Amino acid sequence: MQVEQMRLDGNAAGGMLRELFARDVTAALATCGGCGKVGPVGALLEYGHGMGVVLRCPSCDTVMVRLVHAPGWLRLDVSGTSVLAIPDTISVS
Amino acid sequence: MTAAIPGESNATRGIPEVSQPIAAPAAPRLEWRVATVIEVREETQRARTLVLNVPEWPGHRAGQHVDVRLVAEDGYQAQRSYSIGSAPEEKTIALTVERLEDGEVSPYLIDVLRPGDGLELRGPIGGYFVWDVAQRGPLLLVAGGSGIVPLMAMVRHHMLADDKTRARVPVRLLYSARRWDDVIYRDELARVAERPEVEVSFTLTRDAPSDWVGYRRRIDRAMLQDVCWPAAETPRAYVCGPTPLVESVATLLVEAGYDPMRIRTERFGPTGS
């Protein structure tokens, strides 16, 4: 059952991304593999569903990140992201 | 710098005392914890604030959120993100939740949870939609509906700064709600607006009281021109609300000359709202 079909943004995916990354990546700059636009992960469009999350480019709708919980696996597909630049600042988050 | 483990001798653990490579430290692992509800406050007919005590809470930054997880007896899980509305200076955290009638999580948080109950959460989360009073001003906050919650953490953080710091960071808040009864934190915002360095404006998009002197329409270019800091003052802007509001406000701010890198957004809401 998924009655709240939510479209949020990369901010909301921060918790799930922290299962993978040691640092917060919502402030990281991601380059879209489709149109080349550079922007913060927090500002990507999120399409959440029961098993994971899809982040799309706000400019061209390319799927930049797919993060899926499958039984026994956490599967990350970043083929739509050409560069992920994570700021080197100390983050308390 | 040496690696020291509190309460244990490194020698007995066989860990050599060597210099550590200096890199940005990894944030502490994000663990699920069980918070305890201390207080439930009614904010509006549809919104409640849960004040929570979180064991070993590491502190948060204004604008961050937590993930909340509910697990049914059959193992079915539902997880949602809720913004923290309390200031970083407070020891407890406050989440303000608005009821979505067909929601899986919000009705439970609003109707069922009582003081003393436990709630599973992890956080704080987020390094993008965050603000600190040390970043200087001026600051523009634009909220739609319950999008006020993370912005309220910023307002409260600002209120707790010393006079000198606060004077350097003037704040303007524009808050769009459907009707006056839906405005969250009404009384507190009225008190905040008495401060010379804070201006609060409201717009009511559906119903307004007959004596209402504020705006009565959706946020548009003319309203932003009235309320916003001029772009020449290099303001920072935080916009939080339903996706259509956030997209339209962010676009209008860029058109008004705001630096896109100084506009931070957080969206929520059902698809197509």
Side-chain angles (χ1 to χ4, degrees):
Chain A
M1 182 175 75
Q2 188 70 21
V3 282
E4 293 164 80
Q5 180 60 45
M6 304 293 277
R7 184 179 121 184
L8 303 104
D9 58 30
N11 296 307
M16 210 164 165
L17 291 167
R18 277 289 310 277
E19 292 176 21
L20 275 171
F21 293 90
R23 283 191 259 167
D24 170 77
V25 289
T26 59
L29 295 175
T31 306
C32 175
C35 69
K37 184 189 157 76
V38 181
V41 171
L44 300 181
L45 300 180
E46 187 206 69
Y47 294 79
H49 53 82
M51 291 179 70
V53 68
V54 168
L55 296 178
R56 288 177 179 270
C57 173
S59 290
C60 74
D61 230 27
T62 289
V63 173
M64 292 175 64
V65 177
R66 274 194 198 90
L67 185 57
V68 180
H69 275 293
W73 298 87
L74 180 59
R75 188 168 177 277
L76 175 70
D77 174 351
V78 285
S79 54
T81 302
S82 54
V83 179
L84 186 65
I86 302 172
D88 204 16
T89 49
I90 293 168
S91 170
V92 297
S93 63
Chain B
M1 181 178 157
T2 55
I5 295 168
E8 290 188 57
S9 153
N10 282 343
T12 59
R13 291 175 56 94
I15 298 169
E17 298 198 325
V18 294
S19 295
Q20 297 293 299
I22 303 298
R29 248 186 89 81
L30 198 57
E31 305 281 2
W32 289 99
R33 308 162 204 257
V34 179
T36 306
V37 179
I38 296 174
E39 190 192 339
V40 179
R41 279 202 295 264
E42 186 169 318
E43 300 285 358
T44 68
Q45 221 173 6
R46 296 193 307 142
R48 300 275 183 285
T49 291
L50 306 172
V51 182
L52 301 164
N53 186 23
V54 190
E56 294 168 60
W57 180 247
H60 70 277
R61 296 153 82 191
Q64 287 187 306
H65 69 268
V66 295
D67 288 345
V68 167
R69 176 165 80 175
L70 301 183
V71 185
E73 277 175 25
D74 64 1
Y76 175 78
Q77 291 190 5
Q79 190 178 313
R80 295 290 182 277
S81 299
Y82 292 100
S83 290
I84 301 170
S86 47
E89 289 80 0
E90 293 169 51
K91 285 199 176 106
T92 53
I93 63 165
L95 309 180
T96 301
V97 178
E98 197 168 43
R99 184 211 310 268
L100 297 172
E101 290 308 332
D102 59 352
E104 287 184 299
V105 177
S106 61
Y108 174 83
L109 299 182
I110 285 184
D111 301 332
V112 180
L113 272 188
R114 293 286 172 265
D117 290 345
L119 179 65
E120 202 175 12
L121 58 79
R122 67 178 179 187
I125 296 163
Y128 165 67
F129 197 79
V130 293
W131 179 76
D132 188 285
V133 73
Q135 287 175 292
R136 304 277 183 108
L139 178 66
L140 174 71
L141 305 174
V142 183
S146 58
I148 187 66
V149 178
L151 304 184
M152 198 63 193
M154 298 176 191
V155 169
R156 287 167 167 162
H157 173 53
H158 180 264
M159 293 288 283
L160 290 168
D162 61 73
D163 292 351
K164 218 168 131 187
T165 307
R166 241 185 7 250
R168 278 201 304 259
V169 190
V171 179
R172 288 182 183 171
L173 166 67
L174 173 60
Y175 182 176
S176 171
R178 272 175 283 190
R179 48 183 76 81
W180 186 239
D181 286 345
D182 290 337
V183 172
I184 303 172
Y185 314 128
R186 274 187 298 187
D187 299 342
E188 189 177 348
L189 285 171
R191 286 197 302 276
V192 166
E194 288 168 10
R195 299 278 191 125
E197 68 278 6
V198 183
E199 284 174 47
V200 180
S201 310
F202 295 99
T203 183
L204 302 179
T205 56
R206 206 162 287 180
D207 285 318
S210 53
D211 58 348
W212 179 250
V213 293
Y215 298 107
R216 295 168 180 257
R217 58 184 198 268
R218 289 181 186 280
I219 298 174
D220 55 22
R221 188 186 313 266
M223 195 186 300
L224 286 174
Q225 260 167 9
D226 285 355
V227 173
C228 283
W229 302 103
E233 295 184 32
T234 60
R236 288 176 194 280
Y238 290 77
V239 186
C240 183
T243 296
L245 177 144
V246 168
E247 282 173 6
S248 120
V249 170
T251 304
L252 289 169
L253 290 176
V254 172
E255 284 172 13
Y258 275 53
D259 175 359
M261 294 306 286
R262 293 169 88 89
I263 302 172
R264 304 214 163 176
T265 55
E266 186 162 86
R267 314 149 200 259
F268 60 81
T271 308
S273 72

